[in-house]
Amino acid sequence: METRKEINQQRYLLILGVLLVCGMLLYVLRSVLLPFVMGIMIAYFLNPLVNTMVRKNKISRTFATVIVMSLFLLILLPVVVLLGSAAFSQVGQFLSNLPQHLSGFGAKLTVWVHQLQQYFPVLAFENVEAALQENFGESFKPVLKVVRGVVSNGFALVNVLSLLLISPVVAFYMLRDWPYFTEKLMGLVPHKHKLQVQDGVRQINRIISGYLRGQVLVCIALGSIYSFGLWLIGLDLGLIVGFLAGLISFIPYVGSISGFLMAMVLVVTQYGTLPKIAAVIAVFAVGQFLEGNFLTPKLVGENIGLHPVWVMFALLAGGVLLGLLGMIIAVPAAACIGVFLRYLIENYKHSRIYLDC
């Protein structure tokens, strides 16, 4: 007869094996999983609304799912078409003009370097001005070539089409059968650990819902602030730069820093005057002040259990390993790991190893 220790060892080996197999499948199938993951994410966002309709209106879940998905698509599709067409044209214009902007920025730098050399002769190293003016813009052309290749690649078009066609279908079936899937998954948990697992799932759901739903609102608010501020300054492409800065603000500090650097290159190239430069600095300073003191505390919350450094590491690691798919699943994975680590630490503090010290 197997002892309890052997049973626990088998259980741990089974869990480890399942995690390894899931990780391998995720990596191998990463190129085709994006529309399915997006569909699951859409269903996760809309599930509370469907639950509310079923509970209050006493209608079937299928009918509630049809209503919610229809409203979602009626709102989303016109927005995607309008914003997508405008964004693609603006991005194309931005990428086409970026070498000229960078060359102009390099020319401005040569003037500043020349002025500094008058006060600090030690900076007068040979050919520094020519190197800045001739090579600053040229050095970015290989990067721009790669970006254009990615955007124009046929696989990118296939991925966009699959997102538009497959994700809504996946979202519909996941949303309709959400209780069925959760019941089946919980049915696989041993009865002895079911309460602990349910508590862990509730914590993970609180973290993910609090972070993702709040972060979407923060990104929209920051994008609006940056775009409106840069538009008021009169900065060419200020709307698209502000929108992109807000869009990638889900990565802590990366969105604001990237947007600030792009805006500085544009304002120095187009104007090069201290009032305009100070105005750009003020726009991003106001955005960061509002984000840190009002937007993030109110919309995301400070007690979700995810430190910004941990979120940043998870997003960047997910992006390196799995690309866009990895960045989408990074926060849920970070939330699961965080809850699991807190569970291990709590058990450790109640173990004989800790108490006998």
Side-chain angles (χ1 to χ4, degrees), residues 309-351:
V309 175
W310 176 233
V311 174
M312 187 185 303
F313 173 78
L315 289 168
L316 296 180
V320 170
L321 293 175
L322 300 173
L324 180 60
L325 175 64
M327 299 189 75
I328 292 175
I329 66 175
V331 172
C336 295
I337 294 173
V339 171
F340 181 67
L341 288 178
R342 283 194 289 271
Y343 171 76
L344 291 180
I345 292 172
E346 188 67 22
N347 282 350
Y348 166 70
K349 288 185 175 181
H350 289 85
S351 67

